[in-house]
Amino acid sequence: MPRYLSLVRIDEKNAPAEGPSAELMQRMGELIEEMTKAGVLLDTAGLTPTEQGTRVHYEGGRISVTDGPFTETKEVVGGYALIQAKDKAEAVEWTKRFLKVHEPHWTVTCEVREVAEG
């Protein structure tokens, strides 16, 4: 069964300063439990802010290292979910359910990509 990586993109500058509400975290926990019981969710996590991250870039045979925050970037990867689904449509449906647990003031984009096997 194919695996899909759902990259959760957020705008750090416009994310609620107080973080996720208790209600959102409860709905998220219920969805994660449902996905785990269904055998769909293989792994998921949020990521620390970009100010704690480091970019390692390779170009023209040279490596450069830049510590965050990355001010030139509007959206950043704020988390991920590794999903095992029968096809991309099922992975997208689970991702839609993930987005719907958020309150309307959140702006979140998920990029669903199939993991290349072999």
Side-chain angles (χ1 to χ4, degrees):
M1 190 176 295
R3 296 180 300 156
Y4 297 88
L5 184 63
S6 180
L7 298 166
V8 182
R9 296 185 182 274
I10 62 169
D11 181 350
E12 285 186 320
K13 293 177 184 139
N14 293 318
E18 68 279 5
S21 67
E23 294 81 11
L24 188 158
M25 294 308 293
Q26 180 177 346
R27 290 190 301 273
M28 187 71 67
E30 291 168 358
L31 178 61
I32 287 172
E33 182 177 339
E34 180 183 346
M35 293 175 77
T36 301
K37 286 181 179 175
V40 173
L41 185 62
L42 302 176
D43 191 25
T44 188
L47 302 176
T48 58
T50 58
E51 67 186 27
Q52 299 174 30
T54 299
R55 284 187 177 160
V56 182
H57 179 73
Y58 180 81
E59 182 176 3
R62 304 184 82 175
I63 290 179
S64 62
V65 178
T66 306
D67 289 329
F70 312 114
T71 56
E72 73 281 359
T73 304
K74 183 175 180 187
E75 287 187 335
V76 298
V77 177
Y80 70 92
L82 184 59
I83 299 169
Q84 188 169 20
K86 66 180 178 186
D87 55 27
K88 185 176 180 181
E90 182 184 9
V92 169
E93 285 303 314
W94 283 110
T95 300
K96 287 179 180 177
R97 290 190 58 193
F98 164 78
L99 291 174
K100 288 179 181 175
V101 303
H102 292 77
E103 291 95 359
H105 60 272
W106 280 87
T107 301
V108 184
T109 302
C110 287
E111 180 178 327
V112 178
R113 309 263 307 267
E114 185 172 352
V115 175
E117 304 288 350

